[in-house]
């Protein structure tokens, strides 16, 4: 293989032992590795790449200021064609982030705007940099006699390939994690069942989020603790992302402590087999994490998708717990057969070590795994019945909490009447140019929607009576989103209350009428329509926003304050929270409660849609107050609490959603639990909960 660094690096290959022996003399003149890697985060990525390549290419063969690590970094970036990122980054900006849990790099970019090849190219560069970070850690690891700054390019290559072989080494640690406590077993007072779906799911999410891997890991999992089964889908690297060259010493050596005479070998032909071997190692690592999530997990099925979870399955393996624990696990550590020298691109040898109970693998002549039919994990399909079709009963505690008897009672998003929806869209289009026509159309739609609401109510009451319940406890309810349905307990003190789904079109048409009536200066009609919106949707922030809009049009800012306080009990989405505090701030200002106004403006995120307007208004308000300084977060919260204004999202709202999230997950109802996990994960900025939410929603 053509090596653009051969001349600059001749002393590395020719007298590597001498180079290492003098490393301590040259080390002070070399750039620290942390400085080399930090440049990829502190300057634009294309500039960092080109700067390193230029520095290495211009260095003289005996230039002591360029380390072996930099030479190897240039090699990997050249193999990844990193220098061509500049043209792509102009159209598709790439932000380099450091992951808190692994300290590896994550390229943030809009993958949907890229072609498949462009995305693969970017991820190839990302993996090259992460392999370098792992090389640095390998050189710095306990027991290694080298210092990273003194390592030769050859030793960096040996460490890189060693890291690939040692991918399964942490398997025992993953198994041992079953004895540790799960910090997410209880979330906001909601306790999951030990060994239940929530416990296993969050342990899995933590295991995957903390894996230090040379290639990006995207994953989804499905957990059914009742039958002891976990299914996991993971992404695998493309063959061209595996190392393209390897330093091969003349004599076999263990590890990287020595750097004997040897040669650089082109491994392009072995890349497909190396990718297949990596997939097998990753599958074993994933299986260990799953078995380590609970002693109750007896079967693990791993599906590998090359490059993206949206692609076909290229590898599907099933592992049995006892076979894995007794026959496979001892071979996965650094001294086991799975990590032996020469297995980097020998999938057949590694496959024999893993002993899968079932498998679906179809390599071609080059060792590249071709698409296969994934193994059936045997999970109960009713667990993933669409919400509007799921007639399974809710556990008693969840039925009381959510005011619902069956899973399908939680559905608020399925299409009700496509023809009415189309009429609503047409009427919405007329609002700006023909408000009188739009008003008449919306009034007709409200009447049509009321018929659907009444029909749904009658059917729900009859169904409740047929199941032995009291039909009088059923009332219509509109919810703008799933979170509104789960928070309805705050809006009704009757624990026996149940709900039928109100017409979406009726509510949205009445909401539009609120604005239309205000535009026609009929404030009374606007307020009446908005009040009806709140009656039909007592847990939906949008209904309260309609009423706020009507009161603002009527300049009733005292009533705006009251409505906004009620709204904040149900506000759990960032945009809704910012909007509400923004409207409340102005209402306080207009009613002379300036301190409360300043406190509300302080709670409007600068990144929100109202951020710029809020900052401008706050500046004006502070000027009127004689140059009063803005409030800190703590001062703002204290001021609002004293004024009886909730701090959203409220603790009670988060606690209720957490109870629903954990309870539904443990009950084997992942699609019903997922929406709450999405919101709770977002509120708490918790990657493990968010990852669990994504897996509950999509499965494996």
């Amino acid at each position: 293989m053509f090596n653009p660094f051969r001349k600059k690096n001749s002393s590395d290959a020719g007298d590597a032992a001498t180079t290492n022996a003098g490393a301590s003399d040259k080390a002070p003149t070399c750039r620290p590795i942390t400085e080399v890697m930090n440049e990829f985060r502190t300057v634009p990525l294309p500039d960092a790449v080109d700067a390193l390549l230029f520095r290495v290419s211009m260095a003289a063969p005996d230039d002591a200021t360029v380390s072996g690590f930099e030479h190897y970094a240039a090699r990997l970036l050249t193999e990844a064609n990193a220098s061509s990122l500049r043209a792509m980054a102009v159209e598709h900006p790439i932000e380099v982030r450091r992951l808190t849990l692994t300290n590896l790099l994550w390229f943030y970019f809009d993958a949907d705007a890229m072609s498949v090849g462009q995305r693969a190219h970017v991820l190839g560069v990302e993996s090259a940099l992460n392999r370098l970070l792992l090389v640095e850690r390998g050189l710095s690891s306990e027991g290694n006699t080298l210092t990273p700054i003194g390592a030769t390019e050859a030793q960096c290559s040996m460490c890189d390939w060693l890291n690939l072989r040692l991918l399964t080494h942490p398997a025992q640690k993953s198994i041992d994690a079953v004895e540790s406590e799960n910090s997410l077993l209880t979330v906001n007072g909601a306790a999951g069942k030990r060994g239940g779906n929530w416990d296993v799911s969050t342990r899995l999410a933590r295991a995957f989020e903390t894996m230090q891997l040379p290639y990006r890991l995207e994953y989804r999992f499905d957990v059914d603790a009742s039958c002891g089964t976990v299914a996991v889908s993971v992404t695998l690297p493309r063959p061209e992302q595996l190392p393209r060259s390897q330093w091969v010493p003349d004599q076999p050596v263990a590890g990287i402590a020595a750097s004997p005479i040897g040669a650089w070998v082109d491994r392009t032909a072995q890349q497909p087999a190396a990718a297949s071997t990596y997939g097998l190692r990753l599958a074993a690592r994933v299986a260990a994490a799953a078995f380590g999530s609970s002693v109750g997990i007896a079967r693990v099925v791993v599906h590998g998708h090359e490059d993206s979870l949206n692609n076909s399955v290229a590898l599907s393996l099933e592992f049995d717990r006892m076979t894995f624990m007794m026959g496979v696990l001892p071979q996965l550590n650094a001294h086991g057969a799975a990590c032996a020298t020469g297995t980097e691109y020998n999938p057949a040898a590694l496959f024999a070590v893993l002993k899968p109970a079932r498998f679906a693998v179809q390599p071609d002549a080059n060792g590249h795994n071709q698409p296969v039919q994934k193994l059936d994990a045997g999970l109960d399909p009713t667990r993933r019945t669409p919400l509007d079709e799921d007639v399974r009963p809710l556990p008693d505690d969840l039925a009381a909490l959510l005011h619902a008897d069956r899973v399908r009672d939680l559905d608020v998003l399925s299409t009700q009447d496509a023809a009415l929806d189309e009429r609503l869209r047409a009427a919405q289009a007329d609002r700006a140019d023909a408000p009188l026509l739009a008003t008449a159309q919306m009034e007709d739609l409200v009447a049509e929607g009321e018929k659907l609401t009444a029909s749904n109510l009658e059917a729900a009451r009859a169904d409740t009576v047929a199941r032995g319940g009291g039909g009088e406890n059923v009332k219509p309810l509109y919810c703008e989103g799933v979170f509104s349905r789960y928070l309805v307990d705050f809006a009704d003190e009757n624990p026996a209350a149940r709900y039928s789904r109100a017409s979406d079109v009726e509510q949205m048409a009445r909401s539009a009428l609120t604005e239309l009536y205000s535009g026609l200066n009929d404030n009374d009609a606007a307020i009446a329509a908005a009040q009806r919106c709140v009656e039909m949707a007592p847990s939906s922030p949008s209904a309260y926003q309609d009423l706020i809009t009507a009161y603002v049009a009527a300049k009733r800012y005292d009533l705006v304050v009251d409505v906004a306080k009620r709204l904040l009990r149900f506000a759990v989405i960032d945009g809704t929270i910012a909007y509400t505090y923004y409207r409340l701030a102005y209402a306080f200002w207009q009613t002379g409660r300036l301190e409360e106004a300043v406190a509300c403006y302080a709670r409007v995120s600068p990144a929100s849609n109202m951020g710029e307007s809020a900052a401008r208004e706050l500046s004006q308000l502070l000027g009127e107050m004689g140059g009063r300084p803005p409030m800190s977060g703590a001062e703002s919260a204290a001021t609002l609490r004293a004024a009886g204004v909730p701090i959203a999202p409220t603790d009670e709202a988060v606690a209720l959603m957490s109870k629903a999230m954990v309870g539904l997950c443990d009950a084997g109802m992942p699609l019903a639990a997922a929406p709450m996990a999405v919101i709770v994960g977002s509120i708490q900025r918790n990657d493990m909960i968010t990852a669990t939410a994504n897996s509950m929603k999509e499965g494996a």
Side-chain angles (χ1 to χ4, degrees), residues 162-412:
L162 178 63
N163 287 338
L164 292 178
R165 295 205 310 273
L166 295 180
L167 192 73
T168 61
H169 178 60
Q172 182 64 59
K173 184 177 180 181
S174 296
I175 294 293
D176 294 341
V178 74
E179 302 296 334
S180 64
E181 293 299 319
N182 181 4
S183 61
L184 289 176
L185 183 60
T186 298
V187 182
N188 303 309
K193 178 183 177 183
R194 173 83 182 193
N197 292 331
W198 177 255
D199 185 22
V200 173
S201 294
T202 49
R203 285 176 182 270
L204 276 176
R206 182 177 296 280
F208 295 147
E209 290 294 316
T210 54
M211 282 186 184
Q212 294 182 340
L213 301 173
Y215 300 97
R216 178 178 290 200
L217 177 67
E218 296 175 359
Y219 63 90
R220 296 289 183 268
F221 53 78
D222 207 350
V223 174
D224 188 353
S226 66
C227 67
T229 300
V230 168
V232 188
S233 289
V234 296
T235 50
L236 307 176
R238 294 158 65 113
E240 62 267 27
Q241 293 170 346
L242 273 291
R244 207 170 75 201
S245 59
Q246 182 181 21
W247 173 263
V248 178
D250 285 348
Q251 300 296 324
V253 294
I256 55 174
S259 180
I261 304 301
W264 289 100
V265 178
D266 183 356
R267 292 301 186 193
T268 303
Q270 283 81 35
Q271 283 180 306
S276 298
T277 306
Y278 180 89
L280 292 172
R281 296 185 198 280
L282 181 61
R285 182 86 174 268
V286 166
F291 287 130
S293 66
S294 170
V295 294
I297 300 303
R299 293 172 59 247
V300 179
V301 182
V302 182
H303 311 301
H305 304 251
E306 185 175 289
D307 191 50
S308 168
L309 292 175
N310 295 324
N311 291 340
S312 301
V313 173
L315 173 75
S316 194
L317 304 176
E318 178 181 321
F319 297 95
D320 168 76
R321 184 181 188 92
M322 292 315 300
T323 301
F324 187 89
M325 298 288 283
M326 303 302 293
V328 179
L329 186 61
Q331 302 302 317
L332 299 183
N333 63 43
H335 304 292
C339 299
T341 302
T343 58
E344 301 95 322
Y345 30 81
N346 189 347
L350 190 57
F351 186 86
V353 174
L354 298 187
K355 300 180 175 63
R358 291 191 299 153
F359 60 88
V361 187
Q362 187 177 330
D364 63 14
N366 296 318
H368 184 202
N369 289 335
Q370 301 302 296
V372 295
Q373 183 67 39
K374 73 176 184 179
L375 300 175
D376 182 3
L379 298 173
D380 182 2
T382 63
R383 298 166 59 258
R384 295 198 164 273
T385 302
L387 218 60
D388 60 318
E389 301 173 12
D390 196 340
V391 297
R392 288 179 296 166
L394 291 169
D396 290 344
D397 57 337
L398 291 176
L401 180 73
L402 301 173
H403 297 269
D405 296 315
R406 293 170 295 190
V407 177
R408 75 175 187 184
D409 298 337
L410 300 174
D411 168 54
V412 296

Side-chain angles (χ1 to χ4, degrees), residues 536-600:
M536 293 293 292
S539 60
S540 294
S542 62
Y544 294 94
Q545 289 171 352
D546 289 333
L547 189 52
I548 287 173
T549 299
Y551 282 143
V552 168
K555 300 190 184 304
R556 292 298 309 274
Y557 294 107
D558 55 331
L559 296 178
V560 169
V561 170
D562 293 336
V563 175
K565 288 180 179 179
R566 292 162 59 192
L567 187 165
L568 287 169
R569 292 191 68 203
F570 304 98
V572 295
I573 305 298
D574 288 344
T576 300
I577 293 171
Y579 173 85
T580 305
Y581 280 121
Y582 174 67
R583 298 300 294 266
L584 183 55
Y586 190 76
F588 274 135
W589 188 356
Q590 297 307 303
T591 54
R593 300 173 66 177
L594 304 188
E595 287 294 314
E596 290 89 340
V598 174
C600 284

Side-chain angles (χ1 to χ4, degrees), residues 323-672:
T323 301
F324 187 89
M325 298 288 283
M326 303 302 293
V328 179
L329 186 61
Q331 302 302 317
L332 299 183
N333 63 43
H335 304 292
C339 299
T341 302
T343 58
E344 301 95 322
Y345 30 81
N346 189 347
L350 190 57
F351 186 86
V353 174
L354 298 187
K355 300 180 175 63
R358 291 191 299 153
F359 60 88
V361 187
Q362 187 177 330
D364 63 14
N366 296 318
H368 184 202
N369 289 335
Q370 301 302 296
V372 295
Q373 183 67 39
K374 73 176 184 179
L375 300 175
D376 182 3
L379 298 173
D380 182 2
T382 63
R383 298 166 59 258
R384 295 198 164 273
T385 302
L387 218 60
D388 60 318
E389 301 173 12
D390 196 340
V391 297
R392 288 179 296 166
L394 291 169
D396 290 344
D397 57 337
L398 291 176
L401 180 73
L402 301 173
H403 297 269
D405 296 315
R406 293 170 295 190
V407 177
R408 75 175 187 184
D409 298 337
L410 300 174
D411 168 54
V412 296
L413 297 178
S414 61
T415 300
Q416 294 175 302
D417 189 319
L420 272 182
D421 290 348
E422 182 58 36
R423 287 176 57 188
L424 177 66
R425 283 191 290 271
Q428 293 279 23
D430 292 331
R431 286 176 63 176
D433 298 331
L436 288 175
L437 173 61
T439 299
Q441 291 173 323
M442 293 297 179
E443 289 173 342
D444 287 342
L445 286 169
V446 168
E448 290 294 320
E450 286 175 337
K451 294 177 184 178
L452 178 57
T453 296
S455 175
N456 289 347
L457 178 60
E458 181 180 359
R461 284 176 171 171
D463 180 63
T464 301
V465 170
R467 290 185 290 108
E472 70 281 358
N473 290 321
V474 183
K475 62 182 81 172
L477 175 72
Y478 168 82
C479 294
E480 67 173 281
V482 289
F483 58 90
S484 299
R485 180 61 185 83
Y486 287 66
L487 292 176
V488 75
D489 188 61
F490 293 159
D492 199 323
E493 297 180 356
N494 179 10
R498 296 295 184 268
Y499 302 99
S500 66
R501 187 174 167 188
S503 166
D504 295 350
V505 168
E506 175 192 352
Q507 183 76 3
M508 288 186 281
R510 187 176 284 114
S511 173
L513 283 172
T514 300
E515 184 177 340
L516 287 165
Y517 288 148
S518 293
L520 297 172
N521 295 318
D522 191 347
N523 291 329
D524 290 342
I527 291 171
Q531 287 174 332
R532 179 60 177 156
C533 284
V534 173
E535 291 173 8
M536 293 293 292
S539 60
S540 294
S542 62
Y544 294 94
Q545 289 171 352
D546 289 333
L547 189 52
I548 287 173
T549 299
Y551 282 143
V552 168
K555 300 190 184 304
R556 292 298 309 274
Y557 294 107
D558 55 331
L559 296 178
V560 169
V561 170
D562 293 336
V563 175
K565 288 180 179 179
R566 292 162 59 192
L567 187 165
L568 287 169
R569 292 191 68 203
F570 304 98
V572 295
I573 305 298
D574 288 344
T576 300
I577 293 171
Y579 173 85
T580 305
Y581 280 121
Y582 174 67
R583 298 300 294 266
L584 183 55
Y586 190 76
F588 274 135
W589 188 356
Q590 297 307 303
T591 54
R593 300 173 66 177
L594 304 188
E595 287 294 314
E596 290 89 340
V598 174
C600 284
Y601 279 127
R603 306 203 75 77
V604 181
S605 169
S608 68
N609 291 336
M610 286 68 57
E612 186 176 338
S613 297
R616 185 172 56 252
E617 292 177 18
L618 175 60
S619 178
Q620 182 182 346
L621 174 58
L622 295 176
E624 291 183 6
M625 298 173 70
R628 187 208 192 285
M631 287 190 184
S632 65
E635 185 182 2
S636 166
T639 301
L640 294 179
R641 288 193 181 96
V645 177
I647 306 301
T650 65
D651 291 343
E652 59 177 355
V654 175
L656 193 156
M657 290 188 297
S658 298
K659 288 180 182 177
M661 169 184 74
V662 174
L664 289 167
C665 181
D666 272 347
M669 300 168 178
L671 295 183

